[in-house]
Amino acid sequence: MAFLEKNIEPEMSLEADGPDHQYLALSGDWTVSTIGNAESGLDRLEVAKDRLTCIDVSKIEHLDTSGAWLIHRTRGRLEFEGRKVGLTGVTPIRQMLFDEIDRHHPPRYKPDRGGFTIVGFLEATGRQMVDAYKDGLAMLHILGSLGLVTSTVLFNPGRLRSISIAVQFDRSCIGAVPIVALMSFLIGAIISQQGGFYLKQFGVDIYVVDLAGILILREIGVILTAIMVAGRSGSAFTAELGAMRMQEEVDALHVIGLSVTEVLVLPRILALMIALPILTFIADMAALFGSGLVTWVYLDIPPAAFLTQLQVAITNGTLAVGIVKAPFMALIIGLIACVEGLKVGGSSESLGRHTTMSVVKAIFLVIVVDGFFAVFFAAIGI
C-alpha cells in the first residue's frame, strides 16, 4: 500500500545580515499545489530599499516550474523597485531551471520615478531607440533570409508555393478592391470639392483638374492604398503568424526541417508586392472618377473638358511615380507584419499588442519611405 507524502507549506522569512545585506529565506515545498498562499505573502512582503537583498532557496524541499517562476517574478518585482537582488543556495539542477526561465522571460523592468523627470525621459527615449534598433535587426534578418530563399526558388522553381501565393493574393488584393475603390472615390471627390471651392473664388476652377490629377496619381493613391493594406492585410498577416506561434505550429515547421521564411513569409510578401501596384492603379482610377464626377456636378466642368485638361496636366511619368512606389511599400508592410507576427508570445495580450504595433509601424514607415521617394523624384526631375 502506497502512502502519499504530505506537502509542506511554503514559508518565508526576512533576515538581516549586517547593515547592508538582508536574506529572504524560503523553505518548504514550492510547487504548483502549494504556492497559492505564498504568492499573496510575497506580494505583501516589505523589503528595505537601502540593503542588498539575497533570496536563499537552499531550504526549499521540492521545487517545480511554478515555484521557480514565482521566485523569478518576485525577484523581478524587487528589481523593478530599484533593488539589487541575487539568488543563493541554488543547486546545479535548480540553476538550470532558473536559467531556462531567465532565458525565455528576461527581466524587462523599468523603475518608477514617480513623475516626469529629465532622467526618466532620457531613459524612456533610450529604451525606445534600443527597441527600434532591435526591430531593424529583425527586419534585416527576415530580409536576408527572404533573399536567400528567393535565390533558392529561382534556381528551383518547383519549390515556389504558387497555391499559397494565389490564396494570399486573393485575400490581400481581390478581397480589398471594394473598400479601396470606395475610399479612393470619396477621397478624390473631397479633393476636387475642396480645391474647387477655393480656386473658384479666383476664376481658375479648371485647375482643380491639375491639382486632383497630380496629387492623386503621385501621392494620395499609393499612400491611401498602402495605409489600407497595412491595416487590412498587414494586421491579418501578423495575427495569422502570431496564432501559429501560440499554437506552436512555427516550432513544428522547424522540427520537421522546413524553412519558416519559405513556407510562411515568402508567399505573403510576394502576394502583397503583386497586389499593391494593382490596388494602387484601381485606387487612382476610382479617385479620378470621383474627382471628375464632383467637378461635373459642383463646378460645371463636363467630362470631356475634364479629360482634356487631365491629359495636359499629367504624363505617363506621373502615373509611373505612384506605381513604382507600391512594391517597396508592400515589401515594408509585409516585412513588418511577419516580424511582429513571429515575435508573438504565448498570450492573447501579446497577440493584440504585436498586431497593433504592426499596423502602427507599417503606416509610419510607409509615410517615411514616401517622403524619401518624393525627394528622390524631385532630385531627378520627375
Side-chain angles (χ1 to χ4, degrees):
M1 184 177 181
F3 294 93
L4 296 177
E5 294 183 1
K6 185 178 180 179
N7 293 325
I8 303 175
E9 289 297 323
E11 297 180 357
M12 64 202 75
S13 62
L14 193 60
E15 305 171 0
D17 182 22
D20 299 327
H21 294 79
Q22 58 187 346
Y23 281 89
L24 176 60
L26 307 179
S27 61
D29 291 341
W30 289 71
T31 62
V32 67
S33 59
T34 62
I35 62 172
N37 296 329
E39 182 174 6
S40 59
L42 286 174
D43 290 339
R44 295 192 301 267
L45 194 64
E46 294 293 337
V47 181
K49 295 184 177 181
D50 56 348
R51 294 183 178 181
L52 177 65
T53 304
C54 193
I55 301 177
D56 184 8
V57 298
S58 60
K59 297 180 181 180
I60 293 180
E61 297 291 336
H62 299 94
L63 179 69
D64 64 2
T65 306
S66 300
W69 167 253
L70 180 58
I71 296 172
H72 171 79
R73 196 181 69 177
T74 302
R75 180 184 176 185
R77 179 176 66 86
L78 296 177
E79 291 184 354
F80 176 86
E81 295 171 353
R83 301 174 178 86
K84 181 67 175 177
V85 185
L87 289 177
T88 185
V90 185
T91 63
I93 295 178
R94 290 179 178 177
Q95 185 63 50
M96 294 174 60
L97 178 59
F98 283 112
D99 290 343
E100 191 69 14
I101 293 176
D102 287 337
R103 185 170 68 87
H104 290 284
H105 301 278
R108 298 175 182 174
Y109 311 109
K110 181 180 179 181
D112 185 8
R113 301 187 182 274
F116 176 81
T117 61
I118 298 298
V119 175
F121 173 76
L122 294 176
E123 179 186 4
T125 304
R127 290 179 184 274
Q128 292 173 0
M129 294 300 295
V130 171
D131 291 339
Y133 172 73
K134 291 180 179 179
D135 289 340
L137 287 182
M139 288 185 62
L140 290 176
H141 173 74
I142 292 290
L143 187 61
S145 177
L146 190 66
L148 180 62
V149 170
T150 303
S151 62
T152 303
V153 169
L154 290 177
F155 288 104
N156 189 4
R159 297 183 61 174
L160 185 64
R161 300 175 181 271
S162 56
I163 296 178
S164 180
I165 295 175
V167 171
Q168 297 299 331
F169 178 80
D170 176 70
R171 293 177 180 175
S172 59
C173 181
I174 299 176
V177 168
I179 184 63
V180 169
L182 177 61
M183 292 295 293
S184 301
F185 173 83
L186 295 175
I187 292 297
I190 292 171
I191 289 174
S192 291
Q193 190 276 330
Q194 290 294 304
F197 175 78
Y198 290 100
L199 293 176
K200 192 176 183 180
Q201 302 176 17
F202 303 99
V204 289
D205 49 346
I206 189 63
Y207 288 110
V208 72
V209 180
D210 302 57
L211 171 67
I214 296 175
L215 188 60
I216 289 170
L217 295 182
R218 289 181 67 97
E219 300 293 341
I220 296 298
V222 63
I223 290 182
L224 182 66
T225 305
I227 290 175
M228 286 190 288
V229 167
R232 186 180 182 277
S233 301
S235 60
F237 291 172
T238 303
E240 290 171 2
L241 295 179
M244 296 180 70
R245 283 276 298 173
M246 294 172 62
Q247 297 171 4
E248 299 183 351
E249 295 178 18
V250 175
D251 296 331
L253 290 176
H254 286 296
V255 170
I256 62 179
L258 294 178
S259 171
V260 174
T261 305
E262 181 179 341
V263 176
L264 301 178
V265 178
L266 181 62
R268 286 172 168 80
I269 292 182
L270 281 182
L272 207 59
M273 292 181 69
I274 298 172
L276 196 54
I278 298 174
L279 289 175
T280 300
F281 179 78
I282 294 174
D284 291 342
M285 297 301 104
L288 289 177
F289 179 74
S291 175
L293 187 62
V294 169
T295 55
W296 187 16
V297 175
Y298 185 71
L299 300 174
D300 294 328
I301 299 177
F306 180 87
L307 292 176
T308 301
Q309 183 65 23
L310 188 64
Q311 292 176 356
V312 174
I314 66 173
T315 62
N316 293 332
T318 309
L319 176 62
V321 166
I323 300 297
V324 166
K325 299 177 186 178
F328 295 95
M329 294 184 177
L331 178 62
I332 291 172
I333 294 171
L335 285 175
I336 293 176
C338 293
V339 167
E340 292 296 326
L342 294 175
K343 287 165 59 177
V344 172
S347 64
S348 57
E349 186 270 338
S350 175
L351 177 61
R353 184 176 68 255
H354 285 290
T355 302
T356 303
M357 292 304 298
S358 170
V359 177
V360 173
K361 292 177 181 178
I363 293 176
F364 172 75
L365 285 182
V366 158
I367 296 175
V368 170
V369 169
D370 183 75
F372 282 119
F373 271 111
V375 174
F376 171 74
F377 287 127
I380 64 177
I382 296 180

